[in-house]
């Protein structure tokens, strides 16, 4: 047991105290054993749960899930506090200074912004200055490699487009996508290792990259588009499974395709 006074309502400092106690002597063995890497995936999962709560517009879920993300932030900060490298106070100080620096039109600093578009333009300029990015290539390299791949592709393409490296329109990008699909087909027809130069892995990646580019030029979030496609597949697959006259593994491809057509027609 640890020395802690329970209350009917807790504040931010109480939360920091609780997290430190969990990691300290007499605290929780599991919490004490964790490292940045061991709970890395937890951070991602909690973040996606916040997004789910936002999409549902559920205030109770938002409150709970935002708390879980805050717990992850504090958890990592306290690990660094134990190592003497920085504290949660340093995290708060740093992000506050960043917000002031990146909003010179609000706090003073020689930049004006009367529209949201100008705010975003200034933000990119200030971000590059802050991070010492001397070129667009530096900015592209700084896009987190751990982002979902379609999301990363979209961000990379947007930065390249702002520098003037872009297709003249969505149809031109679609032409390039069709070229990449033809190269993927050629790789499949050749056979061989998926990892060889111009093999299936490389050509599939190029096709997906260009599919994301088409979405970006049409102002369509490729992540959202793919999620919608997954939802559509789920609905149609459920229809096929429910209406099949036998277990699907025993049905002919033609029979399953006909059920798929029926499912598609019902959605029309």
């Amino acid at each position: 047991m640890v020395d802690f006074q329970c209350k009917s309502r807790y504040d931010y400092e109480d939360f920091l105290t609780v997290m430190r106690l969990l990691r300290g002597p007499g605290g929780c063995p599991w919490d004490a054993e964790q490292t940045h890497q061991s709970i890395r995936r937890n951070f991602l999962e909690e973040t996606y749960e916040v997004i789910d709560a936002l999409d549902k517009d559920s205030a109770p879920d938002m409150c709970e899930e935002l708390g879980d993300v805050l717990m992850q932030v504090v958890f990592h900060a306290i690990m660094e506090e134990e190592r003497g490298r920085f504290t949660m106070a340093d995290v708060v100080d740093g992000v506050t200074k960043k917000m002031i620096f990146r909003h010179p039109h609000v706090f003073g600093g020689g930049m004006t912004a009367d529209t949201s578009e100008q705010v975003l333009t200034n933000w990119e300029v200030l971000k590059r200055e802050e991070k010492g990015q001397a070129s667009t290539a530096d900015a592209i390299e700084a896009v987190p490699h751990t982002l979902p791949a379609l999301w990363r592709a979209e961000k990379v393409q947007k930065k390249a487009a702002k520098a003037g490296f872009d297709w003249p329109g969505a149809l031109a990008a679609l032409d390039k996508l069709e070229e990449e699909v033809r190269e993927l087909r050629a790789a499949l027809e050749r056979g061989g290792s998926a990892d060889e130069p111009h093999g299936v892995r490389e050509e599939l990646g190029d096709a997906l990259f260009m599919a994301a580019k088409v979405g970006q030029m049409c102002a369509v979030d490729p992540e959202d588009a793919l999620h919608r496609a997954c939802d559509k597949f789920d609905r149609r697959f459920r229809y096929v499974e429910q209406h099949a006259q036998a277990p699907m593994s025993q049905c002919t491809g033609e029979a399953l395709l006909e059920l798929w057509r029926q499912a598609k027609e019902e959605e029309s």
Side-chain angles (χ1 to χ4, degrees):
M1 297 292 290
V2 296
D3 183 17
F4 180 74
Q5 181 64 49
C6 292
K7 301 179 180 180
S8 59
R9 186 175 179 84
Y10 300 100
D11 59 24
Y12 175 70
E13 291 301 326
D14 292 325
F15 181 53
L16 294 181
T17 298
V18 165
M19 294 301 293
R20 291 185 182 113
L21 289 172
L22 289 172
R23 291 274 297 177
C28 173
W30 184 89
D31 288 280
E33 291 172 359
Q34 300 315 303
T35 66
H36 291 308
Q37 289 301 313
S38 71
I39 60 171
R40 175 179 177 276
R41 182 164 179 164
N42 299 45
F43 211 143
L44 288 170
E45 290 175 356
E46 298 296 357
T47 302
Y48 280 116
E49 288 178 7
V50 168
I51 300 303
D52 189 54
L54 295 177
D55 289 346
K56 293 188 295 186
D57 193 28
S58 168
D61 288 344
M62 287 184 213
C63 186
E64 178 182 353
E65 301 303 343
L66 286 169
D68 289 343
V69 168
L70 177 61
M71 179 187 68
Q72 292 296 318
V73 173
V74 172
F75 210 149
H76 287 280
I78 286 176
M79 290 181 192
E80 289 303 302
E81 179 180 274
E82 295 165 356
R83 301 170 72 180
R85 302 206 295 188
F86 65 81
T87 68
M88 191 63 200
D90 295 322
V91 173
V92 173
D93 175 65
V95 73
T96 303
K97 288 175 178 174
K98 179 190 293 184
M99 290 299 98
I100 293 170
F101 175 74
R102 293 193 186 177
H103 291 82
H105 55 290
V106 177
F107 299 102
M111 282 185 170
T112 60
D114 298 323
T115 66
S116 296
E117 291 75 15
Q118 188 59 51
V119 170
L120 294 177
T121 299
N122 292 348
W123 182 279
E124 285 300 317
V125 171
L126 292 165
K127 184 176 180 180
R128 285 200 187 188
E129 177 185 338
E130 184 181 67
K131 295 185 177 295
Q133 296 169 355
S135 66
T136 300
D138 289 342
I140 287 173
E141 175 61 26
V143 174
H145 293 206
T146 49
L147 280 176
L150 285 176
W151 189 358
R152 181 186 172 200
E154 182 194 27
K155 289 179 73 68
V156 164
Q157 290 157 351
K158 280 184 176 179
K159 291 182 183 297
K162 286 180 180 178
F165 188 85
D166 205 1
W167 275 262
L171 288 175
L174 182 60
D175 289 340
K176 181 62 176 176
L177 171 58
E178 290 171 347
E179 176 187 327
E180 298 295 355
V181 171
R182 288 194 296 271
E183 292 178 1
L184 173 59
R185 175 180 291 276
L188 286 167
E189 290 173 346
R190 286 196 307 271
S193 169
D195 293 321
E196 65 187 12
H198 304 295
V200 173
R201 186 187 304 277
E202 179 180 341
E203 301 303 342
L204 177 60
D206 290 345
L208 289 170
F209 188 83
M210 284 311 304
K213 179 61 187 178
V214 172
Q216 183 250 313
M217 296 198 79
C218 296
V220 172
D221 180 350
E223 286 286 327
D224 178 62
L226 186 53
H227 275 301
R228 288 171 183 262
C230 289
D231 291 340
K232 181 169 61 179
F233 180 88
D234 180 29
R235 292 192 303 271
R236 293 179 181 176
F237 182 88
R238 185 177 299 277
Y239 179 95
V240 171
E241 188 175 51
Q242 290 175 344
H243 291 79
Q245 299 300 312
M248 292 178 64
S249 60
Q250 299 175 18
C251 295
T252 65
E254 183 178 343
L256 294 176
L257 185 58
E258 177 56 32
L259 286 172
W260 186 269
R261 291 194 190 100
Q262 292 175 19
K264 186 175 180 179
E265 288 173 1
E266 286 208 358
E267 290 186 355
S268 300

